[in-house]
Amino acid sequence: MKGDTETETPSPSQPFPAAVPFEESAAKRQPMYSIRSRWTCDPLFMGSYSYPTVCTQMNDAHDLGETVANKLFFAGEATSARHYGSLLGAFQSGSREADKVAEMLAHRS
């Protein structure tokens, strides 16, 4: 859609505006950098997102977010049972997986 493409034309090097207030715990973890994607313009995705279908089971999001061999971690709105298909679900699942990685690394030393 034309409107979607126009909203995603800023350069990837431009910082994100502070539009969403962070939870207190999330505000303590400041990112070192960010990468901006233009997923509505990406020919492989064309603005896609996950959504439940009539065949979706209650544990599907949990299964998609399952860690593999303590080496491969999955995040994204599709792995959030509570906020499936939303930006909040993507953000919270990223924080969840970052916490798992941090905990794993802390136990290694």
Side-chain angles (χ1 to χ4, degrees), residues 17 71 81 96 98:
K71 293 182 181 180
R96 177 194 69 215

Side-chain angles (χ1 to χ4, degrees), residues 3 6-7 9 12 18-20 26 32 34 36 39 55-56 58-59 70 96 101:
E6 289 175 357
T7 59
T9 54
V20 179
M32 295 185 327
S34 64
R36 171 179 266 171
W39 61 284
C55 298
T56 301
M58 292 297 289
N59 60 339
N70 247 6
R96 177 194 69 215
V101 170

Side-chain angles (χ1 to χ4, degrees), residues 67-109:
T67 302
V68 177
N70 247 6
K71 293 182 181 180
L72 187 58
F73 299 82
F74 294 97
E77 31 77 38
T79 68
S80 172
R82 190 168 184 189
H83 299 287
Y84 196 84
S86 72
L87 179 62
L88 180 59
F91 175 78
Q92 288 180 340
S93 68
S95 294
R96 177 194 69 215
E97 296 307 308
D99 288 343
K100 286 181 185 178
V101 170
E103 184 177 332
M104 180 196 66
L105 293 174
H107 285 95
R108 278 189 174 178
S109 32

Side-chain angles (χ1 to χ4, degrees), residues 21-80:
F22 290 104
E23 296 174 20
E24 185 179 329
S25 61
K28 293 177 184 176
R29 297 182 298 235
Q30 294 297 320
M32 295 185 327
Y33 63 90
S34 64
I35 299 173
R36 171 179 266 171
S37 67
R38 298 183 198 158
W39 61 284
T40 60
C41 303
D42 188 321
L44 298 176
F45 298 97
M46 298 171 56
S48 65
Y49 61 93
S50 59
Y51 59 92
T53 68
V54 294
C55 298
T56 301
Q57 301 290 317
M58 292 297 289
N59 60 339
D60 285 349
H62 179 291
D63 292 347
L64 285 171
E66 196 68 34
T67 302
V68 177
N70 247 6
K71 293 182 181 180
L72 187 58
F73 299 82
F74 294 97
E77 31 77 38
T79 68
S80 172

